[in-house]
Amino acid sequence: MYKPQFDLDKQLVKIVNINSRTEKHGDDNVLAIDLQIEARMPNDSLSMFSSTLKTALYFKDESVQGDLVDDKTHAPNLRNPLLGPLKWGAELEHMQLRVHHGVRGEDDIVFSESKINKFKFICQEGGTVVIAFRAQVHPTEKDAAKLLTLIQSEVHVSVISEISEEGLQGDLKEAA
């Protein structure tokens, strides 16, 4: 199965919902949270999932748009406006999710080893797509409390698919 290169860099998103639960890790109960997140992005972002996805869903109606936009890849019109939200079956593990919370980098809420899944594309006329997804994280009690204050809020998040050793060491230094 094709694995998308899903990366976000300080992307403005909406945390739509938060579901807290416990998971069994051996004999221990571990706090887990599922974050439902929506990111409103240009339809070019669909290329993170498939190189043909944008052209399958969007086109440029020359009779309406004319020559207003010179970009040949500009495709703001929905091919099938009644299609509705589309599910995408990718499941990404070992991701870093960073919720930019506060002014300083050390105020960010950082989750390593997150799972990102349950992708959904909500295509909109005009060239915008809402990419909805679930992030599964294991927060501390302090981070869980911070997250709960963000329900239905817009925040900036970063999702990084490959965490280098250097990046992990930097995060550990920030946390110390």
Side-chain angles (χ1 to χ4, degrees), residues 36 88 90-91 116-120 132-134:
Q36 300 297 328
W88 193 261
E91 182 158 325
I116 309 291
N117 53 32
K118 294 209 174 185
F119 288 95
K120 188 172 20 171
F133 60 95
R134 176 177 72 177

Side-chain angles (χ1 to χ4, degrees), residues 8 11-18 35-41 97 99 130-135 147 150-157:
L8 301 177
Q11 175 68 44
L12 183 64
V13 303
K14 183 174 184 179
I15 297 180
V16 178
N17 196 16
I18 296 176
L35 300 165
Q36 300 297 328
I37 298 173
E38 292 182 352
R40 184 174 306 279
M41 304 175 73
L97 174 72
V99 179
V130 175
I131 300 176
F133 60 95
R134 176 177 72 177
L147 285 175
L150 299 176
I151 296 175
Q152 291 294 311
S153 295
E154 288 188 339
V155 296
H156 288 90
V157 302

Side-chain angles (χ1 to χ4, degrees), residues 84-116:
L86 299 170
K87 293 181 181 180
W88 193 261
E91 182 158 325
L92 308 173
E93 296 187 4
H94 313 295
M95 305 290 282
Q96 183 188 85
L97 174 72
R98 180 179 293 264
V99 179
H100 301 283
H101 187 267
V103 178
R104 302 171 301 162
E106 55 263 17
D107 295 330
D108 291 352
I109 309 168
V110 181
F111 302 104
S112 295
E113 293 300 314
S114 301
K115 290 181 186 176
I116 309 291

